[in-house]
Amino acid sequence: MRIRKFLFILLLCLTSFSALAAGDYEAGKIKAYTCTGCHGIVGYKNTYPMYHVPRIGGQNMEYLVIALQGFKSGEREHKTMNLQAEALSDQDIEDIAVYLAGQTNEPEAE
């Protein structure tokens, strides 16, 4: 009986944590609008230095959170991304990640 209670409490804690960590899709849709200026253009290449800008729609949510947190902290270096992420709260990052993870990498039909 004690094991069942323990497992139940553990399960409750785990589900509570994931609910607290979840972002808001609709809020992310608004907050991610700026991201589409570079990451939403099919085949976009940066001018200097020349490199392909990755599409981030459909990317893994956890990866997006880690990447944005890395840009925010300066652990990942990219001047534009560092400046963009610097202004984001942890909730903003979660919201953006939830929204972008829900997108596809397919170009939108015109």
Side-chain angles (χ1 to χ4, degrees), residues 44-51 53 78-80:
Y44 181 66
K45 293 189 186 332
N46 195 41
T47 317
Y48 181 81
M50 181 66 125
Y51 63 90
V53 176
H78 184 281
K79 289 180 183 180
T80 303

Side-chain angles (χ1 to χ4, degrees), residues 64-83:
L64 291 168
V65 169
I66 291 167
L68 285 170
Q69 288 173 340
F71 286 123
K72 181 177 180 173
S73 72
E75 184 180 325
R76 293 184 74 168
E77 291 186 29
H78 184 281
K79 289 180 183 180
T80 303
M81 286 302 304
N82 295 129
L83 288 170

Side-chain angles (χ1 to χ4, degrees), residues 28 30-41 53-54 56 68 81 84 88 96 99-100:
I30 295 166
K31 294 173 185 178
Y33 185 75
T34 302
C35 305
T36 61
C38 294
H39 293 283
I41 302 171
V53 176
I56 52 178
L68 285 170
M81 286 302 304
Q84 291 291 326
L88 300 174
I96 290 168
Y99 172 72
L100 291 173

